[in-house]
Amino acid sequence: MRLSRPSALLLRLAVGIGLAFIYIPLIVIFIYAFNASNILEWPPPGLTLDWFPKAIENEFAREAFVTTLKAGTAATAIALLLGTLASLAVARHRFFGRETISFLVILPIALPGIVTGVALNNTFTQVLGVELDLFTVIVGHATFCIVVVYNNVVARLRRTSGSLIEASQDLGADGWQTFRFVLWPVLSTALVAGGLLAFALSFDEVIVTTFTAGAQNTLPIWILGNLRLGQQLPQVNVVVFFVIVMTVLPVTIAQRLTRDTGILRRR
């Protein structure tokens, strides 16, 4: 449909306003990462790179970063396994309650984070008697990371003809051969994209982590604590800059992969 010139200009203006609403705060924090002053003032009195090595040398920030990587990697692995199995069951089989199961798998991403956090905290501490540590953080993150993987894989499966699997089985392939030579080429980019999105979600998660971390300190928790106390603000800005970059990269790669045909190219 061809738009009139005024309509096209109005649409572009609306898109511009929407992008500005989203990205101006991110641009501000990017500029503050180079702020020459140790206090927040706008505009910054000057620009410097001095805070970057200081943030890298911060022992507590490094420990929080390592903890965040461990939690994100483990939660992503769990999400890839359980999310893929759930999507295969829902997309490839018909059984009573299938839509209900699909709804229950997706529900955690729609619940407020504070509800999920309180529920997990009570379950771990009151019901199971488990001490809050890295394991509980991983479980908490996996609850919403599963949804991302599930959505990517189930969408790819629903766009894939079931006759491919039937043809493979008719030709004598067993379950593993069918997965390796038929399903994997189709699901490869969906799995990689789902894993990258899951890791990005886990990397900057703060609400659920607050209720499940105990004495553990992830990078978002470290940022929140130092921001609240007003200490080390320049280093906090640098770490926030780094977190944004670490989040944008996997999301960008995942977006490009989901536009593909579903097959990871081999050379």
Side-chain angles (χ1 to χ4, degrees), residues 46-69:
L47 301 178
T48 181
L49 294 172
D50 292 345
W51 303 118
F52 281 81
K54 292 181 180 179
I56 294 173
E57 294 169 2
N58 189 304
E59 180 182 355
F60 297 104
R62 291 205 309 268
E63 291 177 355
F65 173 69
V66 172
T67 302
T68 305
L69 282 181

Side-chain angles (χ1 to χ4, degrees), residues 7-118:
S7 298
L9 291 175
L10 184 61
L11 184 60
R12 292 174 184 173
L13 178 63
V15 171
I17 293 174
L19 292 175
F21 183 81
I22 296 171
Y23 288 104
I24 284 179
L26 298 181
I27 294 172
V28 170
I29 200 65
F30 268 52
I31 295 174
Y32 269 140
F34 301 91
N35 185 11
S37 174
N38 60 355
I39 60 174
L40 297 181
E41 53 180 311
W42 188 264
L47 301 178
T48 181
L49 294 172
D50 292 345
W51 303 118
F52 281 81
K54 292 181 180 179
I56 294 173
E57 294 169 2
N58 189 304
E59 180 182 355
F60 297 104
R62 291 205 309 268
E63 291 177 355
F65 173 69
V66 172
T67 302
T68 305
L69 282 181
K70 291 178 179 177
T73 303
T76 300
I78 294 172
L80 283 170
L81 176 61
L82 299 182
T84 302
L85 292 176
S87 62
L88 287 171
V90 170
R92 287 300 172 209
H93 301 281
R94 294 186 177 276
F95 52 88
F96 176 76
R98 184 178 69 161
E99 297 304 322
T100 302
I101 290 176
S102 180
F103 170 76
L104 292 175
V105 172
I106 297 173
L107 183 60
I109 201 73
L111 289 174
I114 193 169
V115 173
T116 303
V118 171

Side-chain angles (χ1 to χ4, degrees), residues 80 152-153 156 159 183-197 253-265:
L80 283 170
N152 274 272
V153 177
R156 183 63 56 81
R159 284 159 38 197
L183 276 180
W184 169 249
V186 172
L187 297 180
S188 55
T189 52
L191 288 170
V192 174
L196 290 170
L197 290 173
I253 296 171
Q255 192 270 341
R256 291 182 64 85
L257 286 175
T258 52
R259 293 189 309 179
D260 202 353
T261 59
I263 300 175
L264 288 178
R265 293 184 177 88

Side-chain angles (χ1 to χ4, degrees), residues 29-30 35 47 67 87 104 109 121 126 138 170 201-202 210 222 235 239 250-251:
I29 200 65
F30 268 52
N35 185 11
L47 301 178
T67 302
S87 62
L104 292 175
I109 201 73
N121 181 280
Q126 305 301 321
I138 292 170
D170 288 342
L201 280 177
S202 174
T210 302
W222 181 88
Q235 295 183 36
V239 173
V251 172

